[in-house]
Amino acid sequence: MNKEKIVKLLYFVLIVLVIGFGICVLVDYLRYDTILNSAPFYIFIITRFVEFIVPSIIIFIVATLIKANRR
């Protein structure tokens, strides 16, 4: 697998993770109930951020480094 295909795959995974973040936050928002949950909603957002966006940032950095060293 050449580097161009790897970079495209990494960008695809990055997009899927960002979309997954949005969907999970939306589902958390729809299921959130202030009476049942003692934690504020922003804790749910921070948790999803760590689960989805942090790996996306790492993948973006790796893809950019691979693309820069393609020569």
Side-chain angles (χ1 to χ4, degrees):
M1 195 177 234
N2 60 9
K3 289 184 180 182
E4 184 177 319
K5 289 182 181 179
I6 292 172
V7 170
K8 287 181 182 181
L9 176 68
L10 289 174
Y11 283 137
F12 176 75
V13 171
L14 183 140
I15 291 170
V16 168
L17 284 172
V18 170
I19 292 171
F21 170 76
I23 291 171
C24 285
V25 167
L26 179 65
V27 169
D28 286 343
Y29 174 74
L30 295 174
R31 296 176 66 196
Y32 183 76
D33 187 10
T34 55
I35 296 171
L36 297 176
N37 295 318
S38 61
F41 185 67
Y42 70 86
I43 298 296
F44 289 88
I45 295 174
I46 291 171
T47 304
R48 296 298 184 193
F49 183 85
V50 170
E51 290 177 347
F52 289 97
I53 302 300
V54 172
S56 295
I57 293 170
I58 294 170
I59 290 173
F60 177 76
I61 292 170
V62 169
T64 305
L65 290 174
I66 291 173
K67 191 174 182 181
N69 292 330
R70 188 166 46 176
R71 300 177 189 145

